[in-house]
Amino acid sequence: QVQLVESGGGLVQPGGSLRLSCAASKSISSIYYMGWYRQAPGKQRELVAVSFSGGTTNYADSVKGRFTISRDNANNTVWLQMNSLKPEDTAVYYCNVRIKIFLATNDYWGQGTQVTVSS
């Protein structure tokens, strides 16, 4: 069973930066995308950024220009560089890897890492 291990969360002041990392415990084939979601207290989980294996990336409007997703395909690792952090970025951030074989998909999720933006 594949496990996604996240790291890099923590407490940061507004305007600061954090870099989240997510590494798979073993090689994953048929990756459709690797991405990050977040869930704030009392809110639904939302997409933050996704990196498709074809090369394109998508970002939530709220993080465009501040967050950057990158990945290492050889090692099944994905990062999220977060700059100019705001209090509203406070949430638990989850790594997600979706595989796709023909029309069937399957998702792997990390355990989540807390990001708190506060002065």
Side-chain angles (χ1 to χ4, degrees):
Q1 181 71 8
V2 174
Q3 290 185 327
L4 302 180
V5 180
E6 301 153 353
S7 62
L11 173 65
V12 64
Q13 292 185 341
S17 298
L18 282 175
R19 189 183 193 222
L20 305 183
S21 298
C22 172
S25 59
K26 59 182 183 180
S27 180
I28 305 174
S29 59
S30 304
I31 292 178
Y32 181 50
Y33 67 68
M34 304 179 76
W36 292 91
Y37 285 73
R38 68 186 181 187
Q39 187 167 18
K43 294 187 177 181
Q44 290 188 329
R45 190 173 296 189
E46 63 175 358
L47 175 69
V48 176
V50 61
S51 171
F52 290 91
S53 294
T56 59
T57 56
N58 284 343
Y59 294 90
D61 287 343
S62 60
V63 307
K64 284 180 180 177
R66 300 187 298 122
F67 291 10
T68 303
I69 189 170
S70 58
R71 59 191 277 183
D72 177 349
N73 292 324
N75 294 298
N76 291 154
T77 301
V78 62
W79 297 273
L80 183 69
Q81 178 66 42
M82 305 185 294
N83 298 328
S84 302
L85 282 160
K86 304 175 181 180
E88 51 263 44
D89 294 318
T90 295
V92 177
Y93 284 70
Y94 297 91
C95 175
N96 170 238
V97 174
R98 174 166 290 182
I99 63 172
K100 185 175 181 181
I101 302 174
F102 298 109
L103 298 180
T105 61
N106 191 31
D107 286 303
Y108 298 105
W109 290 94
Q111 79 283 0
T113 185
Q114 177 70 47
V115 171
T116 302
V117 184
S118 175
S119 55

